[in-house]
PDB file of all heavy atoms in Angstrom:
ATOM      1  N   ILE A 127      -1.253  33.206 -11.890  1.00  0.00           N
ATOM      2  CA  ILE A 127      -1.972  33.067 -10.627  1.00  0.00           C
ATOM      3  C   ILE A 127      -3.357  32.496 -10.947  1.00  0.00           C
ATOM      4  O   ILE A 127      -4.071  33.048 -11.782  1.00  0.00           O
ATOM      5  CB  ILE A 127      -2.130  34.438  -9.929  1.00  0.00           C
ATOM      6  CG1 ILE A 127      -0.771  35.072  -9.627  1.00  0.00           C
ATOM      7  CG2 ILE A 127      -2.975  34.328  -8.670  1.00  0.00           C
ATOM      8  CD1 ILE A 127       0.012  34.407  -8.517  1.00  0.00           C
ATOM      9  N   SER A 128      -3.710  31.400 -10.293  1.00  0.00           N
ATOM     10  CA  SER A 128      -4.994  30.749 -10.579  1.00  0.00           C
ATOM     11  C   SER A 128      -6.068  31.222  -9.602  1.00  0.00           C
ATOM     12  O   SER A 128      -5.763  31.872  -8.595  1.00  0.00           O
ATOM     13  CB  SER A 128      -4.842  29.229 -10.458  1.00  0.00           C
ATOM     14  OG  SER A 128      -4.678  28.885  -9.090  1.00  0.00           O
ATOM     15  N   ILE A 129      -7.298  30.867  -9.907  1.00  0.00           N
ATOM     16  CA  ILE A 129      -8.388  31.150  -8.970  1.00  0.00           C
ATOM     17  C   ILE A 129      -8.065  30.533  -7.613  1.00  0.00           C
ATOM     18  O   ILE A 129      -8.232  31.164  -6.581  1.00  0.00           O
ATOM     19  CB  ILE A 129      -9.735  30.608  -9.515  1.00  0.00           C
ATOM     20  CG1 ILE A 129     -10.176  31.435 -10.724  1.00  0.00           C
ATOM     21  CG2 ILE A 129     -10.808  30.649  -8.425  1.00  0.00           C
ATOM     22  CD1 ILE A 129     -11.482  30.986 -11.358  1.00  0.00           C
ATOM     23  N   MET A 130      -7.569  29.289  -7.618  1.00  0.00           N
ATOM     24  CA  MET A 130      -7.261  28.627  -6.342  1.00  0.00           C
ATOM     25  C   MET A 130      -6.132  29.320  -5.592  1.00  0.00           C
ATOM     26  O   MET A 130      -6.121  29.317  -4.368  1.00  0.00           O
ATOM     27  CB  MET A 130      -6.929  27.147  -6.562  1.00  0.00           C
ATOM     28  CG  MET A 130      -8.129  26.227  -6.631  1.00  0.00           C
ATOM     29  SD  MET A 130      -9.411  26.431  -5.331  1.00  0.00           S
ATOM     30  CE  MET A 130      -8.661  25.595  -3.929  1.00  0.00           C
ATOM     31  N   ASP A 131      -5.174  29.909  -6.303  1.00  0.00           N
ATOM     32  CA  ASP A 131      -4.123  30.662  -5.621  1.00  0.00           C
ATOM     33  C   ASP A 131      -4.740  31.829  -4.853  1.00  0.00           C
ATOM     34  O   ASP A 131      -4.387  32.094  -3.696  1.00  0.00           O
ATOM     35  CB  ASP A 131      -3.091  31.202  -6.623  1.00  0.00           C
ATOM     36  CG  ASP A 131      -2.245  30.087  -7.238  1.00  0.00           C
ATOM     37  OD1 ASP A 131      -1.950  29.113  -6.522  1.00  0.00           O
ATOM     38  OD2 ASP A 131      -1.895  30.194  -8.425  1.00  0.00           O
ATOM     39  N   VAL A 132      -5.654  32.527  -5.500  1.00  0.00           N
ATOM     40  CA  VAL A 132      -6.338  33.647  -4.850  1.00  0.00           C
ATOM     41  C   VAL A 132      -7.162  33.134  -3.668  1.00  0.00           C
ATOM     42  O   VAL A 132      -7.127  33.698  -2.574  1.00  0.00           O
ATOM     43  CB  VAL A 132      -7.244  34.394  -5.859  1.00  0.00           C
ATOM     44  CG1 VAL A 132      -8.163  35.377  -5.154  1.00  0.00           C
ATOM     45  CG2 VAL A 132      -6.382  35.114  -6.895  1.00  0.00           C
ATOM     46  N   VAL A 133      -7.867  32.033  -3.887  1.00  0.00           N
ATOM     47  CA  VAL A 133      -8.699  31.435  -2.838  1.00  0.00           C
ATOM     48  C   VAL A 133      -7.847  31.063  -1.623  1.00  0.00           C
ATOM     49  O   VAL A 133      -8.221  31.341  -0.481  1.00  0.00           O
ATOM     50  CB  VAL A 133      -9.438  30.192  -3.408  1.00  0.00           C
ATOM     51  CG1 VAL A 133      -9.952  29.291  -2.301  1.00  0.00           C
ATOM     52  CG2 VAL A 133     -10.572  30.648  -4.324  1.00  0.00           C
ATOM     53  N   ARG A 134      -6.687  30.454  -1.877  1.00  0.00           N
ATOM     54  CA  ARG A 134      -5.794  30.098  -0.754  1.00  0.00           C
ATOM     55  C   ARG A 134      -5.281  31.347  -0.053  1.00  0.00           C
ATOM     56  O   ARG A 134      -5.213  31.396   1.172  1.00  0.00           O
ATOM     57  CB  ARG A 134      -4.608  29.282  -1.249  1.00  0.00           C
ATOM     58  CG  ARG A 134      -4.972  27.871  -1.619  1.00  0.00           C
ATOM     59  CD  ARG A 134      -3.723  27.028  -1.851  1.00  0.00           C
ATOM     60  NE  ARG A 134      -4.107  25.799  -2.518  1.00  0.00           N
ATOM     61  CZ  ARG A 134      -4.095  25.647  -3.845  1.00  0.00           C
ATOM     62  NH1 ARG A 134      -3.680  26.621  -4.631  1.00  0.00           N
ATOM     63  NH2 ARG A 134      -4.493  24.507  -4.379  1.00  0.00           N
ATOM     64  N   GLY A 135      -4.930  32.337  -0.846  1.00  0.00           N
ATOM     65  CA  GLY A 135      -4.408  33.581  -0.282  1.00  0.00           C
ATOM     66  C   GLY A 135      -5.433  34.266   0.618  1.00  0.00           C
ATOM     67  O   GLY A 135      -5.083  34.850   1.640  1.00  0.00           O
ATOM     68  N   LEU A 136      -6.693  34.176   0.235  1.00  0.00           N
ATOM     69  CA  LEU A 136      -7.764  34.799   1.028  1.00  0.00           C
ATOM     70  C   LEU A 136      -8.294  33.845   2.100  1.00  0.00           C
ATOM     71  O   LEU A 136      -9.218  34.191   2.830  1.00  0.00           O
ATOM     72  CB  LEU A 136      -8.919  35.221   0.104  1.00  0.00           C
ATOM     73  CG  LEU A 136      -8.607  36.300  -0.938  1.00  0.00           C
ATOM     74  CD1 LEU A 136      -9.780  36.466  -1.901  1.00  0.00           C
ATOM     75  CD2 LEU A 136      -8.281  37.629  -0.278  1.00  0.00           C
ATOM     76  N   ARG A 137      -7.733  32.644   2.149  1.00  0.00           N
ATOM     77  CA  ARG A 137      -8.165  31.608   3.096  1.00  0.00           C
ATOM     78  C   ARG A 137      -9.652  31.286   2.956  1.00  0.00           C
ATOM     79  O   ARG A 137     -10.422  31.331   3.911  1.00  0.00           O
ATOM     80  CB  ARG A 137      -7.829  32.017   4.529  1.00  0.00           C
ATOM     81  CG  ARG A 137      -6.325  32.109   4.738  1.00  0.00           C
ATOM     82  CD  ARG A 137      -5.944  32.354   6.181  1.00  0.00           C
ATOM     83  NE  ARG A 137      -4.519  32.126   6.380  1.00  0.00           N
ATOM     84  CZ  ARG A 137      -3.567  32.987   6.032  1.00  0.00           C
ATOM     85  NH1 ARG A 137      -3.897  34.121   5.454  1.00  0.00           N
ATOM     86  NH2 ARG A 137      -2.303  32.705   6.253  1.00  0.00           N
ATOM     87  N   LEU A 138     -10.028  30.963   1.720  1.00  0.00           N
ATOM     88  CA  LEU A 138     -11.415  30.604   1.403  1.00  0.00           C
ATOM     89  C   LEU A 138     -11.487  29.168   0.893  1.00  0.00           C
ATOM     90  O   LEU A 138     -12.424  28.793   0.195  1.00  0.00           O
ATOM     91  CB  LEU A 138     -11.949  31.537   0.304  1.00  0.00           C
ATOM     92  CG  LEU A 138     -12.032  33.026   0.634  1.00  0.00           C
ATOM     93  CD1 LEU A 138     -12.205  33.843  -0.644  1.00  0.00           C
ATOM     94  CD2 LEU A 138     -13.166  33.301   1.612  1.00  0.00           C
ATOM     95  N   THR A 139     -10.468  28.380   1.256  1.00  0.00           N
ATOM     96  CA  THR A 139     -10.342  27.048   0.667  1.00  0.00           C
ATOM     97  C   THR A 139     -11.560  26.170   0.931  1.00  0.00           C
ATOM     98  O   THR A 139     -12.028  25.456   0.041  1.00  0.00           O
ATOM     99  CB  THR A 139      -9.055  26.359   1.179  1.00  0.00           C
ATOM    100  OG1 THR A 139      -7.974  27.272   1.003  1.00  0.00           O
ATOM    101  CG2 THR A 139      -8.776  25.087   0.401  1.00  0.00           C
ATOM    102  N   ASP A 140     -12.111  26.216   2.155  1.00  0.00           N
ATOM    103  CA  ASP A 140     -13.245  25.345   2.485  1.00  0.00           C
ATOM    104  C   ASP A 140     -14.439  25.580   1.572  1.00  0.00           C
ATOM    105  O   ASP A 140     -14.984  24.652   0.976  1.00  0.00           O
ATOM    106  CB  ASP A 140     -13.697  25.555   3.945  1.00  0.00           C
ATOM    107  CG  ASP A 140     -12.739  24.886   4.917  1.00  0.00           C
ATOM    108  OD1 ASP A 140     -11.794  24.204   4.447  1.00  0.00           O
ATOM    109  OD2 ASP A 140     -12.944  25.035   6.131  1.00  0.00           O
ATOM    110  N   VAL A 141     -14.822  26.836   1.470  1.00  0.00           N
ATOM    111  CA  VAL A 141     -16.025  27.135   0.698  1.00  0.00           C
ATOM    112  C   VAL A 141     -15.799  26.885  -0.795  1.00  0.00           C
ATOM    113  O   VAL A 141     -16.645  26.320  -1.479  1.00  0.00           O
ATOM    114  CB  VAL A 141     -16.563  28.558   0.992  1.00  0.00           C
ATOM    115  CG1 VAL A 141     -15.629  29.639   0.515  1.00  0.00           C
ATOM    116  CG2 VAL A 141     -17.939  28.754   0.378  1.00  0.00           C
ATOM    117  N   TYR A 142     -14.626  27.238  -1.309  1.00  0.00           N
ATOM    118  CA  TYR A 142     -14.379  27.025  -2.734  1.00  0.00           C
ATOM    119  C   TYR A 142     -14.150  25.560  -3.084  1.00  0.00           C
ATOM    120  O   TYR A 142     -14.508  25.132  -4.178  1.00  0.00           O
ATOM    121  CB  TYR A 142     -13.250  27.927  -3.255  1.00  0.00           C
ATOM    122  CG  TYR A 142     -13.806  29.265  -3.677  1.00  0.00           C
ATOM    123  CD1 TYR A 142     -14.065  30.252  -2.732  1.00  0.00           C
ATOM    124  CD2 TYR A 142     -14.155  29.511  -5.001  1.00  0.00           C
ATOM    125  CE1 TYR A 142     -14.638  31.462  -3.097  1.00  0.00           C
ATOM    126  CE2 TYR A 142     -14.725  30.724  -5.376  1.00  0.00           C
ATOM    127  CZ  TYR A 142     -14.968  31.688  -4.426  1.00  0.00           C
ATOM    128  OH  TYR A 142     -15.553  32.871  -4.792  1.00  0.00           O
ATOM    129  N   SER A 143     -13.566  24.796  -2.180  1.00  0.00           N
ATOM    130  CA  SER A 143     -13.417  23.361  -2.442  1.00  0.00           C
ATOM    131  C   SER A 143     -14.800  22.719  -2.571  1.00  0.00           C
ATOM    132  O   SER A 143     -15.043  21.906  -3.463  1.00  0.00           O
ATOM    133  CB  SER A 143     -12.635  22.676  -1.328  1.00  0.00           C
ATOM    134  OG  SER A 143     -11.312  23.173  -1.322  1.00  0.00           O
ATOM    135  N   SER A 144     -15.713  23.107  -1.671  1.00  0.00           N
ATOM    136  CA  SER A 144     -17.082  22.584  -1.748  1.00  0.00           C
ATOM    137  C   SER A 144     -17.746  23.015  -3.050  1.00  0.00           C
ATOM    138  O   SER A 144     -18.414  22.225  -3.723  1.00  0.00           O
ATOM    139  CB  SER A 144     -17.924  23.090  -0.573  1.00  0.00           C
ATOM    140  OG  SER A 144     -17.348  22.709   0.649  1.00  0.00           O
ATOM    141  N   TYR A 145     -17.543  24.269  -3.402  1.00  0.00           N
ATOM    142  CA  TYR A 145     -18.160  24.807  -4.619  1.00  0.00           C
ATOM    143  C   TYR A 145     -17.644  24.072  -5.855  1.00  0.00           C
ATOM    144  O   TYR A 145     -18.419  23.654  -6.718  1.00  0.00           O
ATOM    145  CB  TYR A 145     -17.866  26.304  -4.722  1.00  0.00           C
ATOM    146  CG  TYR A 145     -18.579  26.977  -5.874  1.00  0.00           C
ATOM    147  CD1 TYR A 145     -19.865  27.475  -5.718  1.00  0.00           C
ATOM    148  CD2 TYR A 145     -17.967  27.094  -7.121  1.00  0.00           C
ATOM    149  CE1 TYR A 145     -20.526  28.088  -6.776  1.00  0.00           C
ATOM    150  CE2 TYR A 145     -18.624  27.705  -8.183  1.00  0.00           C
ATOM    151  CZ  TYR A 145     -19.904  28.200  -8.002  1.00  0.00           C
ATOM    152  OH  TYR A 145     -20.555  28.785  -9.048  1.00  0.00           O
ATOM    153  N   LEU A 146     -16.331  23.919  -5.945  1.00  0.00           N
ATOM    154  CA  LEU A 146     -15.745  23.276  -7.119  1.00  0.00           C
ATOM    155  C   LEU A 146     -16.157  21.812  -7.210  1.00  0.00           C
ATOM    156  O   LEU A 146     -16.409  21.286  -8.290  1.00  0.00           O
ATOM    157  CB  LEU A 146     -14.217  23.398  -7.097  1.00  0.00           C
ATOM    158  CG  LEU A 146     -13.688  24.819  -7.328  1.00  0.00           C
ATOM    159  CD1 LEU A 146     -12.194  24.881  -7.066  1.00  0.00           C
ATOM    160  CD2 LEU A 146     -13.994  25.299  -8.741  1.00  0.00           C
ATOM    161  N   LYS A 147     -16.240  21.170  -6.058  1.00  0.00           N
ATOM    162  CA  LYS A 147     -16.581  19.756  -6.041  1.00  0.00           C
ATOM    163  C   LYS A 147     -18.057  19.533  -6.398  1.00  0.00           C
ATOM    164  O   LYS A 147     -18.387  18.778  -7.308  1.00  0.00           O
ATOM    165  CB  LYS A 147     -16.287  19.179  -4.649  1.00  0.00           C
ATOM    166  CG  LYS A 147     -16.658  17.713  -4.502  1.00  0.00           C
ATOM    167  CD  LYS A 147     -16.367  17.221  -3.085  1.00  0.00           C
ATOM    168  CE  LYS A 147     -17.110  15.931  -2.804  1.00  0.00           C
ATOM    169  NZ  LYS A 147     -17.063  15.564  -1.386  1.00  0.00           N
ATOM    170  N   PHE A 148     -18.941  20.185  -5.671  1.00  0.00           N
ATOM    171  CA  PHE A 148     -20.369  19.921  -5.859  1.00  0.00           C
ATOM    172  C   PHE A 148     -20.956  20.664  -7.050  1.00  0.00           C
ATOM    173  O   PHE A 148     -21.583  20.069  -7.921  1.00  0.00           O
ATOM    174  CB  PHE A 148     -21.156  20.294  -4.594  1.00  0.00           C
ATOM    175  CG  PHE A 148     -20.964  19.319  -3.485  1.00  0.00           C
ATOM    176  CD1 PHE A 148     -20.108  19.602  -2.436  1.00  0.00           C
ATOM    177  CD2 PHE A 148     -21.614  18.096  -3.492  1.00  0.00           C
ATOM    178  CE1 PHE A 148     -19.909  18.695  -1.405  1.00  0.00           C
ATOM    179  CE2 PHE A 148     -21.426  17.178  -2.482  1.00  0.00           C
ATOM    180  CZ  PHE A 148     -20.575  17.481  -1.432  1.00  0.00           C
ATOM    181  N   VAL A 149     -20.753  21.966  -7.072  1.00  0.00           N
ATOM    182  CA  VAL A 149     -21.438  22.800  -8.055  1.00  0.00           C
ATOM    183  C   VAL A 149     -20.825  22.642  -9.439  1.00  0.00           C
ATOM    184  O   VAL A 149     -21.516  22.529 -10.440  1.00  0.00           O
ATOM    185  CB  VAL A 149     -21.416  24.271  -7.607  1.00  0.00           C
ATOM    186  CG1 VAL A 149     -22.038  25.167  -8.668  1.00  0.00           C
ATOM    187  CG2 VAL A 149     -22.179  24.408  -6.285  1.00  0.00           C
ATOM    188  N   GLU A 150     -19.484  22.623  -9.496  1.00  0.00           N
ATOM    189  CA  GLU A 150     -18.822  22.577 -10.795  1.00  0.00           C
ATOM    190  C   GLU A 150     -18.358  21.170 -11.174  1.00  0.00           C
ATOM    191  O   GLU A 150     -17.921  20.951 -12.304  1.00  0.00           O
ATOM    192  CB  GLU A 150     -17.613  23.539 -10.800  1.00  0.00           C
ATOM    193  CG  GLU A 150     -18.010  24.998 -10.614  1.00  0.00           C
ATOM    194  CD  GLU A 150     -18.230  25.710 -11.943  1.00  0.00           C
ATOM    195  OE1 GLU A 150     -18.170  25.043 -12.990  1.00  0.00           O
ATOM    196  OE2 GLU A 150     -18.460  26.930 -11.926  1.00  0.00           O
ATOM    197  N   GLY A 151     -18.429  20.235 -10.234  1.00  0.00           N
ATOM    198  CA  GLY A 151     -18.118  18.844 -10.551  1.00  0.00           C
ATOM    199  C   GLY A 151     -16.659  18.527 -10.818  1.00  0.00           C
ATOM    200  O   GLY A 151     -16.342  17.588 -11.548  1.00  0.00           O
ATOM    201  N   PHE A 152     -15.749  19.304 -10.231  1.00  0.00           N
ATOM    202  CA  PHE A 152     -14.320  19.027 -10.415  1.00  0.00           C
ATOM    203  C   PHE A 152     -13.812  18.071  -9.335  1.00  0.00           C
ATOM    204  O   PHE A 152     -14.318  18.059  -8.221  1.00  0.00           O
ATOM    205  CB  PHE A 152     -13.497  20.314 -10.324  1.00  0.00           C
ATOM    206  CG  PHE A 152     -13.668  21.232 -11.494  1.00  0.00           C
ATOM    207  CD1 PHE A 152     -14.375  22.422 -11.367  1.00  0.00           C
ATOM    208  CD2 PHE A 152     -13.114  20.920 -12.732  1.00  0.00           C
ATOM    209  CE1 PHE A 152     -14.537  23.274 -12.448  1.00  0.00           C
ATOM    210  CE2 PHE A 152     -13.269  21.768 -13.823  1.00  0.00           C
ATOM    211  CZ  PHE A 152     -13.988  22.948 -13.675  1.00  0.00           C
ATOM    212  N   ASN A 153     -12.768  17.305  -9.690  1.00  0.00           N
ATOM    213  CA  ASN A 153     -12.045  16.532  -8.683  1.00  0.00           C
ATOM    214  C   ASN A 153     -10.980  17.423  -8.073  1.00  0.00           C
ATOM    215  O   ASN A 153     -10.493  18.352  -8.721  1.00  0.00           O
ATOM    216  CB  ASN A 153     -11.341  15.321  -9.319  1.00  0.00           C
ATOM    217  CG  ASN A 153     -12.344  14.334  -9.848  1.00  0.00           C
ATOM    218  OD1 ASN A 153     -13.405  14.133  -9.251  1.00  0.00           O
ATOM    219  ND2 ASN A 153     -12.028  13.733 -10.981  1.00  0.00           N
ATOM    220  N   GLU A 154     -10.576  17.069  -6.847  1.00  0.00           N
ATOM    221  CA  GLU A 154      -9.620  17.895  -6.123  1.00  0.00           C
ATOM    222  C   GLU A 154      -8.330  18.146  -6.908  1.00  0.00           C
ATOM    223  O   GLU A 154      -7.777  19.237  -6.880  1.00  0.00           O
ATOM    224  CB  GLU A 154      -9.295  17.242  -4.778  1.00  0.00           C
ATOM    225  CG  GLU A 154      -8.842  18.245  -3.759  1.00  0.00           C
ATOM    226  CD  GLU A 154      -8.964  17.704  -2.336  1.00  0.00           C
ATOM    227  OE1 GLU A 154      -9.847  16.877  -2.065  1.00  0.00           O
ATOM    228  OE2 GLU A 154      -8.141  18.133  -1.510  1.00  0.00           O
TER     229      GLU A 154
END
Side-chain angles (χ1 to χ4, degrees):
I127 300 288
S128 71
I129 290 179
M130 276 313 282
D131 290 325
V132 169
V133 162
R134 287 191 194 93
L136 296 172
R137 295 187 167 78
L138 297 164
T139 310
D140 284 356
V141 67
Y142 273 81
S143 295
S144 301
Y145 186 87
L146 290 171
K147 178 181 162 191
F148 286 102
V149 176
E150 297 268 5
F152 289 108
N153 294 324
E154 205 161 330

